[in-house]
Amino acid sequence: MRDPGAGFSYLINGQRWVVRHGRWLGIGLIPGLITLVVYAGALVALAYGADDLADWATPFADDWSSPWLGLLRNTLTVLVFAFGLFLAVITFTAVTLLVGQPFYEALSEEVDRAEGGEAPESGLPLWRELWISARDSVRILVRVALYGVLLFAFGFVPVAGQTVVPLIGFCVTGYFLAEELTAVALQRRGLVLKDRLVLLRGRKLLILGFGVPLGLAFLVPFVAVFLMPGAVAGATLLARELVGDDAESDDDGPDGDGSDGEGTPAFSPPSALGD
């Protein structure tokens, strides 16, 4: 399965999986709700303090006459809050995954068991897993920020900036969102960030089919909370496809030689998680 439709099917199947296993849906909601409460509190505080921040940042305008003083500071207030909201949207998944590391690890392992075959474990202590997840999330966010700067610059190009650039932006967001979610299952299989990115680049259409519609849904914070458990379950199913676990669980693939049915050997990680 190598097309966007197949990737989207993993997203849907993940939501179906957690609905059929209601206990895991409830467990998977806990980290998202915790993160939502923290983010909501931070955004409320920012909404109340944005005007004070705008006043502090523009002392040079104290003597400006009306309406220029109000126009400058009101515009800056709106921009400060909009920037805070943007940061909340792009970091929500990474922070939720970090907060919910033990929950989502357990959910991902249960999906592996339910789908047949082994449920790999990293064998690392929790603090080490949290450190690796936080470090990798920062690396991913840096990449997203660099793409964001480039896309923002190209956004000023007539026509293309209003059509092609937003489309590319959604693809970039979806791609890295899929990376963050599949990392839960792939880290347990011993793949470091570099290896995961190589693996995902080889199946771009599949990854985009999973990540882009999910990224669009995640623009609504409340929706993101309720979709997170199913997204982790779907990403685990997707990870099994990427590394060839599905082929192995089906009697070592149609050819019985450990291949994925297309003459391609199941993926084996070139480096260990602790490297």
Side-chain angles (χ1 to χ4, degrees):
M1 294 186 293
R2 296 180 181 274
D3 58 5
F8 183 70
S9 72
Y10 281 116
L11 177 59
I12 298 301
N13 289 338
Q15 301 301 326
R16 289 175 177 170
W17 194 95
V18 294
V19 169
R20 292 197 306 268
H21 301 77
R23 171 172 171 265
W24 289 101
L25 174 60
I27 292 174
L29 287 174
I30 294 173
L33 291 173
I34 293 173
T35 307
L36 179 63
V37 169
V38 173
Y39 271 49
L43 288 174
V44 169
L46 181 61
Y48 277 103
D51 53 349
D52 293 332
L53 182 60
D55 292 346
W56 172 82
T58 57
F60 58 86
D62 287 341
D63 298 329
W64 287 16
S65 60
S66 180
W68 306 115
L69 175 61
L71 182 62
L72 172 66
R73 288 182 171 170
N74 288 338
T75 300
L76 186 57
T77 298
V78 171
L79 289 175
V80 167
F81 184 77
F83 182 69
L85 186 61
F86 171 74
L87 287 179
V89 170
I90 66 172
T91 61
F92 182 85
T93 299
V95 173
T96 301
L97 288 173
L98 185 61
V99 170
Q101 179 81 13
F103 298 91
Y104 294 134
E105 285 273 354
L107 171 58
S108 181
E109 289 179 12
E110 187 63 24
V111 172
D112 272 328
R113 293 190 188 96
E115 294 302 309
E118 298 181 355
E121 297 182 6
S122 68
L124 298 175
L126 178 59
W127 72 266
R128 177 66 173 166
E129 291 182 346
L130 291 173
W131 163 249
I132 292 172
S133 296
R135 181 193 63 193
D136 289 351
S137 293
V138 170
R139 290 174 175 175
I140 290 296
L141 289 175
V142 168
R143 285 174 166 84
V144 173
L146 291 175
Y147 277 108
V149 171
L150 291 174
L151 291 172
F152 178 78
F154 283 114
F156 292 99
V157 178
V159 182
Q162 293 73 49
T163 55
V164 178
V165 169
L167 179 61
I168 295 176
F170 284 126
C171 289
V172 170
T173 301
Y175 182 86
F176 285 112
L177 178 60
E179 193 288 325
E180 288 184 302
L181 289 165
T182 54
V184 177
L186 294 177
Q187 282 181 358
R188 289 192 291 107
R189 288 163 167 82
L191 276 73
V192 296
L193 177 61
K194 179 180 67 175
D195 301 333
R196 298 198 303 268
L197 291 175
V198 170
L199 190 62
L200 267 60
R201 280 198 296 269
R203 305 293 296 273
K204 289 189 182 72
L205 292 180
L206 185 69
I207 300 306
L208 292 176
F210 178 88
V212 171
L214 186 61
L216 291 173
F218 272 25
L219 290 175
V220 184
F222 286 104
V223 173
V225 171
F226 289 100
L227 289 184
M228 272 297 292
V232 172
T236 301
L237 297 173
L238 177 58
R240 290 169 60 85
E241 161 76 10
L242 291 171
V243 300
D245 282 5
D246 285 342
E248 292 177 4
S249 63
D250 291 335
D251 195 23
D252 289 332
D255 300 324
D257 59 358
S259 70
D260 62 5
E262 298 174 357
T264 304
F267 181 87
S268 58
S271 57
L273 189 63
D275 289 348

